[in-house]
Amino acid sequence: MFIQYLILTFYPLHLAGDYDYNAIPIANFVDWDAWLGLLLIAATVVTAYFYRHRNWAVSLGLSFALIAFIPASNWIMPISILMAERFLYLPMIGLALVGATALSQLEDRRLRRLVGIGALSTAIVLCNSHDYIRRDDFTFFKNMVRVVPNSAKARLGWGFALTKAGRNDEAEHELEAGLRIIPDYPELLAVLALARTTSTSCARAWPLLNRAIQIDPKHADTQRRMADCYLKEGRVSEAESMYRQAAQSIPNPDAMLYFMWGVSLENSGQSTDAIAAYERAALIEPENRFFQQKIEALRKTISRPDYR
């Protein structure tokens, strides 16, 4: 893993944004890159010690970078995240000190200026290019699959983006690839079910949803997709129950979840509760005129003398 961090530091061309399970392969005894990483760590310690009197700034910079990296390295105590680019922010202070010291040793001022301008220009280009890649979910996850193809989370994000774009066949391919990495991943199963749902049928989605809910009975996204299918099949009371559970499980439900819950409530004759659900949807997306129109139309219906 130390080699991967060095690549991110000195050759930051292929960034993924997330490095979850299986994105970083587990090293074996015969893997040369793992031994090279250990050798470079030892070389860093030796160099820092060697320069302690010759150039204290180099020794301080290397020591600071290594010590700052240790808490997030998983060397001493495993943490919930295997690897992340943000773990390099603090160690980079020490490496920047080493780089600045090395630059100051150049006697030719024009060469120093050329190197400095070149490094800064390269950093600006790289920063702007990565911002372009991360401009939306579509480009972000597409790049993530390219960089870490064995990441289930990358496949999940790219598959969901493809599903939202209506490219369901491609989405299925990506999500199935993710399930080959983690077979019992409720999020992947739920999104694959969404990709296999048509405007009229959930026949291909139900096996996936039933499998996902067995793995995690409280998985909110699965509950939501099941509710959509229940509503599509006219099983209104079951749909309303599932929407309710999903809305209570998701920390920050989106407007469409509340709207669909409102539809199930309205169809089951619970008009007052339906209005409350529509109002919560409108509160999240106040610019959505359709929500307001739905509320106004339902209120008029309730206020009619012949309403029961």
Side-chain angles (χ1 to χ4, degrees):
M1 187 174 66
F2 189 72
I3 294 296
Q4 279 82 10
Y5 274 119
L6 286 178
I7 293 172
L8 290 178
T9 302
F10 297 104
Y11 189 73
L13 293 182
H14 305 293
L15 306 184
D18 188 277
Y19 304 87
D20 68 332
Y21 169 79
N22 215 43
I24 306 300
I26 298 175
N28 295 311
F29 185 80
V30 295
D31 290 332
W32 65 268
D33 53 344
W35 288 106
L36 178 59
L38 292 174
L39 181 62
L40 289 173
I41 293 169
T44 301
V45 174
V46 171
T47 304
Y49 180 81
F50 180 75
Y51 272 91
R52 72 190 189 282
H53 296 309
R54 296 185 60 181
N55 194 318
W56 67 269
V58 171
S59 180
L60 175 63
L62 292 175
S63 300
F64 181 88
L66 194 58
I67 293 170
F69 176 69
I70 288 174
S73 65
N74 288 279
W75 294 341
I76 297 175
M77 179 181 295
I79 59 177
S80 60
I81 300 174
L82 177 63
M83 177 174 165
E85 295 158 12
R86 60 184 179 275
F87 292 165
L88 292 173
Y89 293 165
L90 196 57
M92 283 295 293
I93 296 175
L95 295 179
L97 178 60
V98 175
T101 303
L103 185 64
S104 68
Q105 299 304 305
L106 296 176
E107 296 182 358
D108 191 330
R109 292 184 60 184
R110 290 177 298 179
L111 180 59
R112 269 204 316 266
R113 186 176 302 169
L114 180 63
V115 172
I117 293 174
L120 180 61
S121 300
T122 302
I124 292 172
V125 170
L126 285 172
C127 183
N128 288 335
S129 65
H130 291 311
D131 285 343
Y132 180 78
I133 288 173
R134 301 182 186 205
R135 66 187 184 275
D136 54 43
D137 285 349
F138 205 80
T139 55
F140 177 81
F141 286 111
K142 183 178 181 180
N143 174 73
M144 194 170 167
V145 168
R146 179 183 65 84
V147 176
V148 282
N150 290 325
S151 167
K153 189 176 292 185
R155 299 287 181 174
L156 171 63
W158 181 221
F160 186 63
L162 289 167
T163 301
K164 290 196 297 183
R167 296 162 60 177
N168 288 24
D169 290 341
E170 296 174 69
E172 286 191 42
H173 173 76
E174 296 298 332
L175 296 165
E176 287 167 354
L179 285 172
R180 286 193 289 271
I181 299 169
I182 306 179
D184 295 326
Y185 195 173
E187 285 83 357
L188 274 168
L189 291 166
V191 177
L192 181 55
L194 177 63
R196 290 183 176 178
T197 300
T198 68
S199 58
T200 58
S201 174
C202 288
R204 296 180 64 223
W206 274 120
L208 296 164
L209 294 172
N210 290 330
R211 180 178 159 194
I213 207 69
Q214 287 177 356
I215 296 169
D216 184 1
K218 296 183 178 180
H219 187 244
D221 197 41
T222 302
Q223 293 169 339
R224 177 178 188 170
R225 303 308 168 198
M226 292 179 74
D228 291 338
C229 286
Y230 281 137
L231 192 62
K232 194 184 299 289
E233 296 173 356
R235 300 159 66 179
V236 179
S237 61
E238 292 161 293
E240 191 279 322
S241 176
M242 278 297 180
Y243 281 129
R244 184 184 300 274
Q245 292 179 56
Q248 292 171 349
S249 301
I250 298 175
N252 298 295
D254 58 85
M256 189 52 64
L257 174 56
Y258 280 119
F259 176 77
M260 295 305 298
W261 184 15
V263 170
S264 67
L265 286 164
E266 183 179 357
N267 290 348
S268 61
Q270 304 177 61
S271 300
T272 303
D273 291 339
I275 290 175
Y278 292 147
E279 286 176 339
R280 297 192 71 169
L283 186 64
I284 297 171
E285 293 186 10
E287 72 284 354
N288 193 321
R289 287 295 306 158
F290 180 71
F291 295 160
Q292 296 294 342
Q293 292 169 2
K294 192 71 173 175
I295 294 169
E296 293 169 5
L298 189 52
R299 281 176 176 165
K300 288 179 181 178
T301 301
I302 293 175
S303 64
R304 290 199 326 240
D306 58 342
Y307 176 77
R308 292 183 181 179

